[in-house]
Amino acid sequence: MSNNILIRKIDMECALCAKNHQVEERKRITKAIIKNEEVDFEEIYYLCDNCENDENEFIPAKIMDSNLLCARNAYRKKMGLLTSSDIVGIRNKYGLTQMEMANLLGWGEATISRYESKAIQDETYDSILRLVNENPMETLKFYKRNKMKFSSLRMLEIKEKIIENLNEYGKEYLRRQELESEYVCYQDPSDYNGNQTLNIDKVESIVTYFAINISTLYKVKLMKLLWYADALNFKLYDKSMTGLVYAHMPMGALPVGHYKLLGLELINSQEEYDDNGKSSYKILPSNRIDFSILSKEELEVLSSVVKKFKAFSGQQLAEYMHREIAYQQTNEKQVIPFSLTKQLLDF
Ligand SMILES: [Zn+2]
């Protein structure tokens, strides 16, 4: 592809030869230096083919501004900062004007307007914006601090919007944070997590896969199935799937943070009581079914695990697991190293 593309031809008064004629609007990838960093960005320029001399290009002021914005956004992407449209998106999520958002965060009134049009935010401001984006509880803190800057009606509306965001995704963000907090000691790939850091999206997909393919799925059985899926994947490919860490417990392997895991939004569990009042968690398929995060090999592993253990009760599966080398060579409450799954039974 040529790095010089005709967008359209426009009839206009040409800025170079001052005559009315057709001018070509073109775009090309150009380099710019922003804050001492070289970035590639898409530049739009106009071409006059009436001109005899070499200077046959010009850029109207308005286009110049949007080119500059484009170059700055290229810089932001390169440096891992939010782009101007990311910032617009965060602001719209809370239904705020530029000035209101600046007031809410306790910043100078023009700050957000500048970030959306020309200035590049520094890292401190960037991380506050990210925090506010991911976690509405943080936005609520700013709201409490700065709400007096708004009329009483606007105060109510903003608070409602924050609560709406909290209900939509904020609570789930916090649940995930809680599960992740259980894994702070397992941030690096190791024998404990099967060379894989925790991937909550994958955990959800796998649980959904089991819930769809196994009609009576209870918590005890699910926990063992997760271990078998990770263990078999490790045996075959030297890598677990989920990054969950499993402890040796009397009923078999149990993931660290399993209670928090069951609280995740996509894991549909329902507490049931038997005649003796003993409770158990039945796992139901989630409403959102998406296996695109799983590779073909991973889906094959899941399919073999389902095929083998589908008819097992939780108790039977626990007994079966007690025969595994990985279980026999670890003590109660000890983390089960994945290297021991190389000797997995019957797979
Ligand atoms: Zn011209």
Side-chain angles (χ1 to χ4, degrees), residues 13-19 21-23 47-51 58:
E13 191 188 313
C14 173
L16 288 180
C17 62
K19 287 176 192 147
H21 69 88
Q22 262 198 348
V23 170
L47 197 68
C48 160
D49 44 20
N50 277 0
C51 289
F58 64 98

Side-chain angles (χ1 to χ4, degrees), residues 205-220:
S205 283
I206 294 171
V207 172
T208 303
Y209 183 94
F210 287 143
I212 287 174
N213 290 288
I214 298 171
S215 52
T216 48
L217 185 59
Y218 287 89
K219 184 186 158 187
V220 173

